[in-house]
Amino acid sequence: MSDWLPKDFWTRNETLVAGVIVVFCVIATISDPRFFTITTVSDLLRAAIVIGILAVGAMLVLVSGGIDVSFTAIAVFAMYSSTVLFLTIWPGAPWPLIFAISVVFGAILGAINGFFIAFLGLPTLIVTLGTLSVFRGFLLTFIGSQRISDLPPAMRDFSRGVLARGTTEAGNFYSIPWSVLALVFVIVLTWFILKKTILGRSIYAIGGSVESARRIGINVRWTQLFVYVYVGALAGLAGIIHGSVGRMADPFSLVGLELSVIAAVVLGGARLIGGYGTLTGTLLGVALIVIVQNSLIVIGIPTTWQSVTIGMLILLGTGVPAYRAKRAAARAG
Amino acid sequence: MTSRIPTKDITAAPEFRLLVIAVFVFGLMSVLSPDRFLSAQNLTSMAFQFPEFAILALAMTLTMMTGGIDLSVVGIANLSAVTAALILTQVSDPSMPAAQSALWLALAVTAAMSVGAIAGLLNGALVAFFGLPPILATLGSGLVFTGFAIAMTGGSAVMGFPDTVALIGNAQVFGVPVPLILFVALAVILHLILTRTAFGLRVTMYGANPVAALYAAIDINRMLLKVYVISGMFASVAGLIIMSRANSAKADYGSSYLLLAVLIAVLGGVNPYGGYGRVIGVILAVLSMQFLSSGLNMLQVSNFARELIWGILLILVMVMNTHAVAALRASFAKSPK
């Protein structure tokens, strides 16, 4: 890239979202100077970890031209069933092993989605709506519907681990947990897959046009299967982190969050028709949603207006580019 | 359309398979729990239960016919119900004479229907004029509608209606539950719209092939606006029934109905990519679901297991409708040509 700014810098969703975040933070800081402190930042960061990991997965699915609404059910399923498994057979297991098993559970459930979508060619929204209720129903019927607060000790140890902690001059406590590293790891891995491997380029290609991708020799089925397995694995990771950090395996948590996560991704510029989507945009979208969900009250909007605000943001954030694309198409046609 | 299918091929229609499923489920439940499932009381209570989500499924059917989807139906239903509920609780007083309270009820119903129409108009405008994908447009607007309902009520339920409100959800006319009458009326209206009007033909053409519809000089924007307005008004009716049956209105009632409405439409043979869908199929799907759900209830199966079974059913039907399986079935059947 020869220029300092990309050519379409001013018309990108990323710029729009970043602008909204900056405006929000400025207004919030003016109305309450305590907003702009490390305590707020570390609170927001902690709230963003699970949503962030889920959003990276959801972004990958959107890029490939599909949509997945079942990942929250996968996350809860993997978290709860691996917790139950280890409590039964080996409560003293180290946390990396518990995490790995949760990721594997997630990947297996993702493979079920992938099978129906890649090999039977069913519509992604309908399949994942179906598997959402299958995974959730199976979990609550056969594995358990009780909250477990007596987690394996290693999971509780994980939640105590912090990268940095301290107290600000004003006396407010802050801490940045280990789980931030998981988000960083997921971002780096996904960046590598998307930008540096043939697989990643294939995901963008099938999102752009399945037929063209097939004709240039991309194995569409296995690429799609990979996408859903990867999303499942990320969901398994996000789920077990959610359980560990919250110190509670709650089979009713997370489900219901899927639309907010997809909203975050779409705000960040990923398109439902596939082929478009960046990690930067996704993370900005997550930041915006997390800030709106946690700090709306600071700028004087009552929390009862939270859904309206997020809904409006989705409509604006996706409506502006869609309208522009429609006008461009009309001019070209 | 039936006239075009020769009678010997009637078994090939997807609706025939649905009829078999519905009869099978009914038969199975009758055998498993004959004294309770077949009781008059159970049959009546089923007739009260299904219309609210069945009407949402009709709304979903119409939008799916255009290749779209309406994820905001539950949001519209609740916003309409909350609007009507606020009018009924603020203005009317439980001790007023029945005639006067019926008048207020009519006003509340009109307001609710207008809310549904306006909400639908907004969805239609987003899809038609701004070119938003229907999933996103209705996902976002659904949050906005739910959000308005939360903001209007502060998140709590609105209660304390005059007795006349029970007419919509709990009354019977000649022994037939009013919700069932409403459902049948809307189903007939939708069937007539889809099969007997130019608008219905346009919807089907656009769903089958949007580009061809454009070249056939169909006013697509106008058609899409109408589709989402009708869908919104259907959702309002469902919202009013829910309000009357629950004797209250709340922003988050019926959240599980969204999946159920999509499930029923797809189960009913509506093509989620657009272009095919028949009301009779949706009705058969609704009946199968209700028989299954009541039957499982009597066998004391938990709600969670019911969710599991619904999900499996949805995927199973989708798999059965795929080309691969259809080809397999054809290769087993005697070739008629």
Side-chain angles (χ1 to χ4, degrees):
Chain A
M1 207 171 294
S2 56
D3 271 340
W4 179 61
L5 288 175
K7 213 183 280 173
D8 57 349
F9 181 80
W10 295 109
T11 56
R12 288 174 80 101
N13 260 52
E14 283 94 329
T15 319
L16 189 70
V17 174
V20 174
I21 293 176
V22 170
V23 170
F24 187 96
C25 290
V26 169
I27 297 176
T29 313
I30 291 170
S31 56
D32 183 355
R34 276 173 303 172
F35 177 78
F36 201 68
T37 57
I38 185 140
T39 311
T40 313
V41 174
S42 79
D43 283 350
L44 291 178
L45 192 62
R46 239 176 303 136
I49 291 166
V50 171
I51 296 182
I53 296 175
L54 292 173
V56 168
M59 188 269 283
L60 214 63
V61 178
L62 287 187
V63 166
S64 79
I67 187 166
D68 185 348
V69 293
S70 71
F71 55 85
T72 48
I74 295 183
V76 170
F77 190 106
M79 178 264 287
Y80 194 80
S81 50
S82 53
T83 309
V84 169
L85 179 72
F86 278 99
L87 281 176
T88 321
I89 60 164
W90 187 17
W95 66 262
L97 184 66
I98 302 178
F99 276 40
I101 293 298
S102 178
V103 169
V104 170
F105 280 164
I108 293 171
L109 296 185
I112 297 176
N113 279 336
F115 169 75
F116 286 114
I117 291 162
F119 291 90
L120 295 178
L122 303 182
T124 56
L125 176 69
I126 313 284
V127 167
T128 53
L129 266 176
T131 52
L132 169 72
S133 55
V134 171
F135 296 155
R136 195 173 126 89
F138 190 90
L139 173 71
L140 295 172
T141 312
F142 296 111
I143 300 177
S145 55
Q146 302 294 318
R147 293 190 176 90
I148 302 176
S149 50
D150 198 15
L151 297 180
M155 279 169 77
R156 267 178 283 154
D157 292 343
F158 175 83
S159 71
R160 290 205 195 94
V162 288
L163 289 175
R165 75 160 83 217
T167 315
T168 56
E169 285 147 26
N172 291 318
F173 180 75
Y174 71 91
S175 71
I176 295 170
W178 279 357
S179 41
V180 171
L181 290 181
L183 178 61
V184 173
F185 170 73
V186 165
I187 293 167
V188 171
L189 179 66
T190 310
W191 174 83
F192 182 79
I193 292 175
L194 282 179
K195 297 289 171 191
K196 299 292 168 189
T197 65
I198 304 253
L199 184 64
R201 305 322 292 172
S202 310
I203 296 173
Y204 276 101
I206 62 170
S209 163
V210 173
E211 196 49 45
S212 315
R214 188 174 287 127
R215 291 192 188 181
I216 58 170
I218 290 170
N219 192 330
V220 174
R221 286 183 171 177
W222 287 102
T223 312
Q224 276 184 325
L225 184 65
F226 168 80
V227 168
Y228 290 93
V229 170
Y230 188 72
V231 171
L234 290 188
L237 179 64
I240 197 79
I241 289 177
H242 175 80
S244 301
V245 173
R247 299 185 194 186
M248 161 101 76
D250 179 359
F252 294 96
S253 65
L254 289 178
V255 174
L257 209 65
E258 56 276 350
L259 294 185
S260 309
V261 173
I262 293 173
V265 178
V266 168
L267 275 177
R271 295 194 198 160
L272 272 187
I273 50 165
Y276 292 88
T278 60
L279 280 168
T280 326
T282 302
L283 295 175
L284 284 170
V286 169
L288 183 57
I289 294 279
V290 168
I291 291 175
V292 168
Q293 277 178 346
N294 290 287
S295 317
L296 208 54
I297 193 105
V298 181
I299 66 166
I301 301 177
T303 41
T304 43
W305 288 91
Q306 185 180 303
S307 295
V308 176
T309 317
I310 296 179
M312 293 283 200
L313 279 173
I314 296 176
L315 292 181
L316 282 177
T318 56
V320 172
Y323 183 60
R324 209 181 280 137
K326 192 183 159 87
R327 268 203 332 204
R331 243 181 269 127
Chain B
M1 293 271 181
T2 324
S3 56
R4 281 200 220 148
I5 302 169
T7 36
K8 62 180 174 181
D9 282 339
I10 192 84
T11 54
E15 285 75 20
F16 180 78
R17 290 209 296 276
L18 278 168
L19 185 65
V20 173
I21 293 177
V23 171
F24 173 75
V25 174
F26 188 82
L28 184 71
M29 292 308 165
S30 309
V31 171
L32 287 178
S33 167
D35 43 338
R36 277 181 297 166
F37 186 78
L38 286 177
S39 68
Q41 192 199 352
N42 178 50
L43 295 178
T44 318
S45 90
M46 283 199 290
F48 273 112
Q49 278 164 23
F50 75 77
E52 48 197 54
F53 60 80
I55 291 172
L56 293 180
L58 289 178
M60 199 65 79
T61 301
L62 180 61
T63 48
M64 270 192 188
M65 288 283 290
T66 65
I69 195 166
D70 191 345
L71 299 180
S72 68
V73 281
V74 174
I76 297 179
N78 285 325
L79 183 60
S80 310
V82 164
T83 311
L86 286 177
I87 292 175
L88 288 168
T89 49
Q90 303 268 318
V91 188
S92 80
D93 142 33
S95 63
M96 71 171 47
Q100 200 182 345
S101 91
L103 203 65
W104 279 116
L105 180 64
L107 180 78
V109 168
T110 315
M113 298 296 290
S114 318
V115 167
I118 294 168
L121 197 66
L122 177 77
N123 282 336
L126 288 169
V127 173
F129 297 120
F130 291 91
L132 273 173
I135 294 183
L136 279 186
T138 54
L139 166 68
S141 69
L143 277 174
V144 172
F145 302 145
T146 310
F148 274 124
I150 294 175
M152 282 159 70
T153 59
S156 48
V158 184
M159 285 179 276
F161 305 141
D163 295 339
T164 39
V165 173
L167 283 177
I168 306 173
N170 295 326
Q172 299 188 3
V173 177
F174 303 120
V176 184
V178 174
L180 183 64
I181 297 174
L182 288 172
F183 168 66
V184 171
L186 291 180
V188 169
I189 291 172
L190 185 64
H191 177 74
L192 292 178
I193 288 176
L194 286 177
T195 56
R196 296 276 183 277
T197 64
F199 168 70
L201 186 63
R202 283 187 215 118
V203 168
T204 313
M205 278 175 70
Y206 176 78
N209 189 336
V211 179
L214 182 69
Y215 289 151
I218 288 176
D219 189 344
I220 291 170
N221 289 351
R222 203 181 145 86
M223 185 273 297
L224 284 174
L225 279 182
K226 269 195 205 167
V227 163
Y228 285 91
V229 167
I230 296 173
S231 168
M233 293 177 75
F234 274 41
S236 297
V237 176
L240 288 169
I241 296 176
I242 296 172
M243 175 185 87
S244 170
R245 275 170 45 81
N247 203 18
S248 61
K250 193 161 180 263
D252 60 358
Y253 277 159
S255 47
S256 65
Y257 285 168
L258 182 59
L259 172 68
L260 198 54
V262 176
L263 169 59
I264 289 170
V266 173
L267 194 64
V270 181
N271 182 349
Y273 294 121
Y276 184 84
R278 297 186 64 199
V279 172
I280 182 71
V282 177
I283 295 175
L284 288 171
V286 165
L287 292 179
S288 318
M289 291 300 293
Q290 184 60 44
F291 296 154
L292 192 64
S293 144
S294 296
L296 291 174
N297 215 4
M298 283 169 188
L299 299 172
Q300 321 231 303
V301 175
S302 76
N303 284 344
F304 309 134
R306 210 180 330 175
E307 206 180 326
L308 171 68
I309 292 169
W310 284 350
I312 291 175
L313 200 63
L314 174 64
I315 294 174
L316 204 66
V317 168
M318 291 298 292
V319 170
M320 275 170 57
N321 288 341
T322 53
H323 296 303
V325 179
L328 201 68
R329 212 173 23 238
S331 71
F332 280 120
K334 286 173 288 178
S335 173
K337 286 167 195 168

